[in-house]
Amino acid sequence: MKLHIEHDTCYGYEGEVRASIQYLRLTPKNNEQQKILDWHLELPGDANEIDDGYGNRLTVLTLDYPQPEITIRAVGTVDLKGIDICTHDSCVPPQVFLRQTELTEPDNELRRFAEQYPPNYDGLQAMMRDLLSTVRYTPGATTVSHTAAEAFAIGAGVCQDHTHIFVACCRHLGMPARYVSGYIHTQDGDHISSHAWAEVWIDDGWYTFDVANGLLMPDSHLKLAVGLDYLEAAPVRGIRYGGGQESLSASALVSRMANEQ
Amino acid sequence: MEMHLPPEGGYDELFDADNKIRPHYQVIHDWLTQTDDELIAEKRREADLLFHRVGITFNVYGESQGAERLIPFDMIPRIIPATEWHILQAGLRQRVTALNRFLFDVYHDHDIIKAGLVPAEQVFANPQYQPAMQGLHLPRNLYIHITGIDLVRNNDGDYYVLEDNLRCPSGVSYMLEDRKMMMRLFPELFTRCAVAPVEQYPAMLRETLQASTLKPNPCIVVLTPGRYNSAYFEHAFLARQMGVELVEGADLYVHNNEVYMRTTAGPRRVDVIYRRLDDAFLDPLAFRPDSMLGVPGLFAAYRAGTVVLANALGTGVADDKSIYPYVPDMIRFYLGEEPILKNVPTWQCRKPEELRYVLDNLSDLVVKETQGAGGYGMLIGPRASREEIERFRDAIKARPDNYIAQPTLSLSSCPTLVDEGIAPRHIDLRPFVLTGKRIQMVPGGLTRVALRKHSLVVNSSQGGGTKDTWVLEDSEC
């Protein structure tokens, strides 16, 4: 399936931003499940690209002159193969993803929830199903700073919370699990196209668990970055000096190429 | 002045088992017993006054915020004969070489893990393992430019490595100030004893930092978390002694993946950062997002190879207490040598059979948190109350992998000036090892002394003091 993506992130400010620096993980890479046909970023200033150690392409955008707003645009075309259920793209040993972070550290409630499931593919599928009914998809119920344990206690959240809770439980069960950020193509338009899901290392590959959509086959998912949690895989993470109040508008448009349908 | 003899069964640095004076302490012993009490008291007041004036202080965590305390200085030096130092030096060189090889390995090909000597999970799931370092090439493959190795002498007379400090070891400024103080107070002692000098340390450190990059005439800075940090005095001291800038995070910025320092003459490119700031605080865009102490963009500049951090990111994975038991195997594996310095036997609570032993013998053991430092989060079984032991028992059971246990070593004692006269107090030793083009160290290091009678905790954060450390160039003094 060929997809076309247009992803705009626009920060508007009350005043002028004197300077800012952003870490962007907005460039997907080829792997067994996805082929990048064309991709580019449109940025308002100087940028450098590095590999962040996890294998993600990290673009560093530095702006050192006053800006009224900052617009970041990623545009590209990719081919999702939809054949392989698991992937092997890994620059660091899988055991790295056994570690909890401040955002994933489970509390007793979450540990008890995880311990109901056997640590294997079937067990995790059951956990994924139950998690979606325990923590209802509710935009606005949480913010980006909510931890897995907090979202679990609230019983509501978005894909980021589902993913944090799921990786927290997997790690607690001794299974390496990583946070994935990217895009999803949905027919119904129920979910926004910027998305997060989990991958779990089982035997010898990374298996997809898209908790929010109850999906195991990543045939509509375009992976941008992986990390221990949202903070490490976030498509945009930045800091700015000056500017006062900030407003953010982000839109990601994922469309299936016409000639493919 | 009255000199209390050490209790039997321990190792005293001055008296041997028959309470005879060891030859390398003869001059100091005679001087102590022949000098009248009033003169010693006067010198002690003078030392206190001088230290206040120099401003050597140490913030003690857990006391009212920002409270600065003078680290007590003891005038009776700790003396190490030349022959003993030569062995220590060879052992330190060997250990630091192996630890650096280990860091290179765990961030590249993982040979020691493939060989089955260290479990993969111990390394990779360790919070100190820095994924960002995987596959990164560093100049000279150097990770640990500055290390502090804590040594103690047990009652068998042998030195043991208590822990390796590979992140931001502190204390070297006290080593230097203690020597200056002794030379000022007692110049005549230095004419009678051939004491190896230590004042070349800042020049050696500067040479080490220069060698950490392949760039000629690099711009070096010392990065401090600021004046509320417990070791701020030392950061300022070392920057001044080396003749380089002392900066805080806000003095630096990143542009085009390069680090710059704001100066009155405009931006200046920075090549080497001697950072006295933990990994987690270095870059709010890569690590703790709430850190105001670091430099946004520093991580990317580091990955791009435009700046050197001394020490490197992620060195904590090699000095973690759960990795410590494997150091002798690292030495055999990487160097094909037998370890010169001994390791303290260690039980790892993450192993069920060792955990059982530890829980059954808590009152005899020292229990440490694998992530702990500075004497916080530690149980000394023989000295602990029943409540403390039970509290640790619960904590260990809840998170066994967070703890290791060791036998209680009886640290050697050294005569120390206390209220009751001159009495034996327990000491340790932290030599500082510098690695650049080659491995260098000044003779000796920092001797810390537990000033409370019978106490085994020498950390300055726990009320310990310091002594000047003399390595003799001849075998006697």
Side-chain angles (χ1 to χ4, degrees):
Chain A
M1 175 168 65
K2 275 194 186 136
L3 294 180
H4 181 73
I5 286 107
E6 291 176 31
H7 180 197
D8 293 303
T9 310
C10 180
Y11 295 96
Y13 302 101
E14 205 178 42
E16 279 193 334
V17 169
R18 291 195 305 280
S20 94
I21 180 163
Q22 322 267 343
Y23 281 6
L24 311 175
R25 291 178 183 86
L26 284 169
T27 306
K29 285 173 71 169
N30 289 323
N31 62 39
E32 298 114 298
Q33 294 162 335
Q34 62 190 35
K35 186 165 184 238
I36 315 308
L37 303 173
D38 164 57
W39 197 270
H40 69 276
L41 302 183
E42 291 166 21
L43 303 171
D46 292 342
N48 303 84
E49 225 180 60
I50 60 155
D51 176 308
D52 72 353
Y54 288 115
N56 305 317
R57 296 310 298 166
L58 181 69
T59 307
V60 185
L61 170 67
T62 343
L63 299 172
D64 53 6
Y65 43 87
Q67 309 271 333
E69 58 171 42
I70 298 173
T71 302
I72 295 158
R73 184 172 170 82
V75 183
T77 311
V78 302
D79 188 7
L80 299 182
K81 297 174 200 163
I83 301 164
D84 288 310
I85 193 160
C86 77
T87 165
H88 300 85
D89 60 333
S90 210
C91 288
V92 296
Q95 292 96 333
V96 164
F97 297 96
L98 280 171
R99 149 189 346 176
Q100 304 285 7
T101 68
E102 281 186 23
L103 285 172
T104 69
E105 185 66 44
D107 59 5
N108 287 334
E109 290 297 314
L110 197 47
R111 282 190 206 106
R112 267 198 293 277
F113 172 76
E115 285 161 12
Q116 302 175 81
Y117 304 95
N120 55 40
Y121 193 68
D122 291 343
L124 297 191
Q125 282 187 58
M127 183 164 82
M128 177 169 91
R129 274 195 308 274
D130 294 349
L131 179 55
L132 187 57
S133 56
T134 313
V135 181
R136 310 301 295 224
Y137 180 79
T138 318
T142 54
T143 69
V144 290
S145 57
H146 274 82
T147 66
E150 287 164 354
F152 188 74
I154 294 169
V158 293
C159 57
Q160 176 189 309
D161 304 298
H162 285 132
T163 307
H164 276 153
I165 296 168
F166 192 77
V167 301
C169 292
C170 292
R171 291 171 189 168
H172 178 63
L173 296 175
M175 309 195 73
R178 60 188 188 183
Y179 186 104
V180 185
S181 71
Y183 305 102
I184 186 169
H185 171 254
T186 49
Q187 306 286 359
D188 57 6
D190 259 349
H191 297 133
I192 63 157
S193 306
S194 225
H195 193 43
W197 60 94
E199 283 181 337
V200 184
W201 182 259
I202 303 170
D203 299 328
D204 63 346
W206 290 106
Y207 287 79
T208 295
F209 290 85
D210 177 353
V211 182
N213 294 303
L215 293 174
L216 297 164
M217 184 70 186
D219 53 2
S220 49
H221 299 67
L222 173 63
K223 188 192 293 185
L224 278 177
V226 299
L228 286 169
D229 59 18
Y230 163 77
L231 281 172
E232 291 199 335
V236 180
R237 187 167 164 188
I239 204 163
R240 67 190 162 96
Y241 303 95
Q245 282 280 341
E246 175 183 274
S247 62
L248 167 68
S249 70
S251 74
L253 191 66
V254 179
S255 51
R256 196 163 175 168
M257 303 280 280
N259 59 357
E260 282 280 309
Q261 294 172 349
Chain B
M1 196 157 191
E2 197 195 345
M3 206 158 184
H4 297 265
L5 290 174
E8 273 178 48
Y11 185 99
D12 189 78
E13 299 285 342
L14 189 147
F15 293 104
D16 69 13
D18 303 320
N19 286 334
K20 287 209 200 52
I21 293 137
R22 298 183 194 273
H24 58 275
Y25 260 105
Q26 193 66 51
V27 170
I28 290 296
H29 175 268
D30 295 349
W31 167 73
L32 281 171
T33 43
Q34 285 156 21
T35 308
D36 70 72
D37 294 8
E38 192 37 50
L39 182 67
I40 287 182
E42 193 182 302
K43 290 283 186 190
R44 202 177 170 183
R45 281 193 297 273
E46 197 181 331
D48 281 350
L49 193 72
L50 286 170
F51 269 117
H52 268 296
R53 196 173 301 155
V54 178
I56 285 211
T57 55
F58 191 91
N59 291 339
V60 179
Y61 295 119
E63 293 192 355
S64 67
Q65 225 198 340
E68 291 194 339
R69 179 199 280 178
L70 204 62
I71 294 202
F73 163 72
D74 183 71
M75 298 191 305
I76 304 174
R78 184 263 185 86
I79 304 179
I80 301 172
T83 46
E84 222 170 87
W85 174 249
H86 288 145
I87 297 168
L88 287 180
Q89 185 166 255
L92 291 165
R93 211 179 274 277
Q94 180 194 53
R95 192 169 176 103
V96 167
T97 305
L99 286 165
N100 195 72
R101 290 279 291 273
F102 174 73
L103 283 163
F104 177 81
D105 188 18
V106 299
Y107 290 125
H108 288 82
D109 295 336
H110 316 146
D111 290 336
I112 200 166
I113 292 156
K114 289 177 193 155
L117 289 174
V118 184
E121 205 178 314
Q122 286 278 95
V123 175
F124 301 130
N126 189 312
Q128 295 297 325
Y129 180 85
Q130 193 55 259
M133 292 301 288
Q134 180 61 44
L136 187 65
H137 298 296
L138 300 179
R140 297 182 210 284
N141 294 332
L142 252 181
Y143 291 78
I144 40 174
H145 311 83
I146 300 114
T147 60
I149 310 291
D150 289 348
L151 299 167
V152 297
R153 198 206 289 265
N154 193 15
N155 53 9
D156 56 10
D158 284 336
Y159 285 96
Y160 287 78
V161 175
L162 206 56
E163 63 183 41
D164 305 292
N165 295 279
L166 310 180
R167 303 175 209 189
C168 305
S170 63
V172 79
S173 57
Y174 304 110
M175 171 189 88
L176 294 167
E177 286 295 323
D178 287 356
R179 173 59 55 83
K180 264 206 288 205
M181 184 64 65
M182 283 301 283
M183 294 183 78
R184 180 157 178 178
L185 293 174
F186 309 108
E188 70 282 4
L189 285 178
F190 288 85
T191 62
R192 288 154 69 189
C193 297
V195 180
V198 297
E199 70 266 14
Q200 67 277 30
Y201 181 85
M204 237 182 224
L205 175 61
R206 198 190 155 109
E207 185 191 319
T208 300
L209 294 171
Q210 272 168 339
S212 71
T213 172
L214 302 178
K215 200 173 161 185
N217 304 315
C219 171
I220 300 167
V221 298
V222 177
L223 174 62
T224 175
R227 59 197 183 87
Y228 294 107
N229 183 269
S230 65
Y232 179 73
F233 165 81
E234 179 160 302
H235 308 158
F237 175 91
L238 290 173
R240 193 171 62 237
Q241 294 279 316
M242 287 193 287
V244 305
E245 294 295 329
L246 176 70
V247 299
E248 295 185 23
D251 299 321
L252 301 179
Y253 68 93
V254 173
H255 185 80
N256 260 340
N257 273 356
E258 291 171 343
V259 181
Y260 293 87
M261 165 169 53
R262 298 175 219 276
T263 76
T264 48
R268 184 161 174 219
R269 173 81 192 275
V270 172
D271 305 301
V272 179
I273 301 175
Y274 176 29
R275 49 93 172 214
R276 298 292 298 257
L277 191 59
D278 288 343
D279 288 2
F281 299 97
L282 280 174
D283 179 352
L285 295 182
F287 309 109
R288 287 185 70 105
D290 53 346
S291 168
M292 306 294 285
L293 302 171
V295 187
L298 179 56
F299 162 77
Y302 186 60
R303 280 287 301 184
T306 66
V307 68
V308 169
L309 294 174
N311 290 346
L313 272 182
T315 56
V317 71
D319 75 4
D320 184 79
K321 291 185 181 70
S322 67
I323 295 294
Y324 165 90
Y326 301 104
V327 178
D329 280 342
M330 287 178 204
I331 293 170
R332 294 183 192 106
F333 182 74
Y334 295 116
L335 310 178
E337 298 171 7
E338 271 308 299
I340 298 169
L341 296 173
K342 291 188 174 177
N343 242 37
V344 184
T346 303
W347 291 277
Q348 302 183 48
C349 298
R350 63 180 191 89
K351 297 184 181 171
E353 67 280 16
E354 301 193 13
L355 170 67
R356 209 168 313 125
Y357 178 85
V358 170
L359 291 174
D360 287 346
N361 293 279
L362 275 180
S363 54
D364 297 325
L365 299 172
V366 175
V367 181
K368 295 174 179 173
E369 274 182 46
T370 52
Q371 308 290 326
Y376 301 98
M378 179 164 130
L379 174 81
I380 300 179
R383 303 279 159 78
S385 68
R386 184 168 298 184
E387 294 79 61
E388 280 175 290
I389 289 180
E390 291 314 310
R391 197 148 36 82
F392 259 80
R393 187 187 305 281
D394 293 341
I396 296 167
K397 277 187 188 159
R399 292 296 302 271
D401 51 322
N402 272 1
Y403 296 90
I404 54 137
Q406 296 171 333
T408 317
L409 294 192
S410 66
L411 275 54
S412 67
S413 60
C414 184
T416 301
L417 212 50
V418 291
D419 292 341
E420 66 217 76
I422 297 169
R425 288 291 183 269
H426 294 296
I427 56 168
D428 78 348
L429 178 66
R430 175 179 287 184
F432 296 92
V433 183
L434 299 175
T435 311
K437 278 185 190 148
R438 57 203 167 109
I439 295 181
Q440 302 185 82
M441 61 198 98
V442 299
L446 177 68
T447 294
R448 297 183 296 180
V449 54
L451 292 171
R452 282 192 292 270
K453 196 173 181 177
H454 303 312
S455 170
L456 293 172
V457 184
V458 296
N459 302 72
S460 40
S461 54
Q462 307 277 304
T466 66
K467 283 171 170 290
D468 191 13
T469 308
W470 290 10
V471 171
L472 298 184
E473 292 183 320
D474 311 318
S475 54
E476 289 185 11
C477 176

